[in-house]
Amino acid sequence: MASSKDEQQQFAQKIKPLQPKPPLVKNCVKAFLTGGLICIIGQALMEFYMTFFNFTDKTAGNPTVATLILIASLLTGLGVYDKIGQFAGAGSVVPVTGFANAVTSAALEHRSEGLVLGVATNLFKLAGAVIVFGAVAAYILGMLRYAFATFM
């Protein structure tokens, strides 16, 4: 068994110089620009809600996030967000839109299994873990803040 592992390591060492080098700078620039564009769209939406619907800075965030989630979900359903992700890599994983893409992708992937057992069951596989972690982290940080505010 050990010889097989040694052979694999030797093979990996032999082919390493032959493998193409990824264009790291180019990929970073594409990710930065795409993520920045998503953020610019979010800021434009926020300005739109503040200008035309008289929201304040604090209250314009909720409809902005909801609109970004809707847009990302629609683009995922149409297959466009996957192309954006292939182009931008990590730049398309801006928290709100990336999360909407992940949830919508899971739902679409299992739609052939039915609405309840397919979509509903698999919809929250990723989202459930993120929501639970976020709630637990918020609770812990809230308790720490309360403790520091009370006792210090």
Side-chain angles (χ1 to χ4, degrees):
M1 189 76 163
S3 65
S4 176
K5 194 171 192 175
D6 291 337
E7 289 175 5
Q8 289 175 350
Q9 289 176 346
Q10 289 174 355
F11 179 74
Q13 291 297 326
K14 286 181 183 178
I15 67 166
K16 191 172 184 177
L18 303 174
Q19 293 176 332
K21 304 284 187 256
L24 292 177
V25 174
K26 181 180 174 184
N27 289 346
C28 288
V29 168
K30 289 193 304 188
F32 177 78
L33 292 176
T34 304
L37 180 63
I38 292 171
C39 293
I40 288 171
I41 292 169
Q43 186 64 41
L45 285 168
M46 195 165 180
E47 295 295 329
F48 171 78
Y49 285 120
M50 288 190 304
T51 302
F52 293 104
F53 295 101
N54 295 323
F55 282 102
T56 64
D57 286 341
K58 292 183 179 182
T59 58
N62 293 334
T64 300
V65 169
T67 305
L68 286 172
I69 289 171
L70 176 66
I71 292 169
S73 296
L74 288 173
L75 291 176
T76 299
L78 296 172
V80 175
Y81 205 89
D82 292 337
K83 292 177 183 171
I84 295 170
Q86 288 172 352
F87 171 78
S92 66
V93 192
V94 174
V96 171
T97 57
F99 187 67
N101 174 50
V103 171
T104 305
S105 294
L108 290 174
E109 186 175 328
H110 297 284
R111 70 176 180 255
S112 63
E113 298 169 20
L115 187 60
V116 174
L117 295 177
V119 174
T121 303
N122 293 295
L123 185 66
F124 292 108
K125 276 188 177 177
L126 170 74
V130 172
I131 291 168
V132 168
F133 180 77
V136 170
Y139 175 77
I140 291 170
L141 290 173
M143 294 307 285
L144 288 172
R145 181 174 183 225
Y146 175 76
F148 282 122
T150 303
F151 301 114
M152 301 260 173

